[in-house]
Amino acid sequence: MTAEVAVVAGASGALGGAIADALRAAGLHVVAVARTAPPSGPSTTGCAADVGTAAGADAVSAAVAAAGGPVRMVVQAVGLPPTGPLDAIDPDALGATVALKVGGLLRLVRAVDTQLVGGSRIVALGGHYGSEPSPDACAAGVTNAALANLVRQLAVAYGPRGVTAHLVAPGPVDTPRMRGLAAAAARRRGVAVEEVLAERAAESPLGRLVTPEEVAWTVTTLLAPQADALHGATLALDAGARRGLF
């Protein structure tokens, strides 16, 4: 029997890698998508693709067809490139980040559309700043807000097929990328990087950052049949950092 397939874009990053590991542990065959193909193995098909391009979507489609089996989950976990704060960002960078993250999600979904079945999950990794705007995270805020809108549209379009769409929105996650961004912010402000990291952790009432493993656990939990009830929902994994009611 052919194993069910999970497609993870951004699989070479800390979050995408943790999600791919968790989905493999759940028994799925992972098509691991990154600009440089991750190693293939018995439960992994490495796919070199840039989901920000049409050619990248074609490569994903071919890799999924070769893997066989229905696509149980497709995950857009591509990270955004550093773009700087509001007072320094190139306005053109906003279009580029939206094209990569939001346009990339739509390309991914279209690339696997014929392999989606009832109970399949469409999952996008957004972020805390999509609903809690911060001038220090201009591109992340704008892009993740747009991503939330697209997920709701996908929920309406794919729901009648029994395919659900979900947005997972972590707060600051303890990854090498986040630490690099904190280091850049520390240099701009002339403070120690530890001070910036402490500020990020202090955004949560728990005084801590979210871990990649916690994000991966949440994504894998969406495989449960009961997750149908979360169709179209945003799962906020910010350890209580968000202050708004909605």
Side-chain angles (χ1 to χ4, degrees), residues 48-242:
D50 179 354
V51 298
T53 67
D58 290 341
V60 172
S61 184
V64 169
V71 172
R72 185 71 168 81
M73 180 177 281
V74 56
V75 184
Q76 165 62 313
V78 173
L80 296 179
T83 52
L86 178 65
D87 61 1
I89 190 172
D90 180 350
D92 290 341
L94 292 176
T97 56
V98 171
L100 174 61
K101 191 103 174 188
V102 184
L105 173 61
L106 188 55
R107 289 189 185 92
L108 277 172
V109 172
R110 289 178 175 175
V112 304
D113 183 272
T114 58
Q115 282 84 18
L116 296 174
V117 296
S120 293
R121 311 299 193 202
I122 298 167
V123 182
L125 248 61
H128 170 69
Y129 295 117
S131 57
E132 292 282 323
S134 168
D136 288 333
C138 177
V142 170
T143 302
N144 288 326
L147 190 65
N149 189 287
L150 179 59
V151 168
R152 289 296 182 91
Q153 294 186 42
L154 291 169
V156 173
Y158 280 84
R161 291 171 52 181
V163 176
T164 65
H166 310 267
L167 180 66
V168 175
V173 183
D174 193 357
T175 64
R177 178 179 179 277
M178 191 279 291
R179 288 179 175 270
L181 293 173
R187 287 192 295 271
R188 287 195 307 270
R189 295 167 48 189
V191 300
V193 66
E194 290 77 14
E195 181 176 337
V196 176
L197 290 171
E199 290 171 355
R200 295 291 178 268
E203 292 174 12
S204 161
L206 297 178
R208 62 183 283 277
L209 301 172
V210 178
T211 68
E213 291 73 23
E214 289 169 332
V215 177
W217 170 82
T218 303
V219 172
T220 305
T221 298
L222 292 172
L223 292 170
Q226 293 85 349
D228 278 358
L230 295 172
H231 181 46
T234 296
L235 304 179
L237 308 181
D238 55 18
R242 184 177 178 182

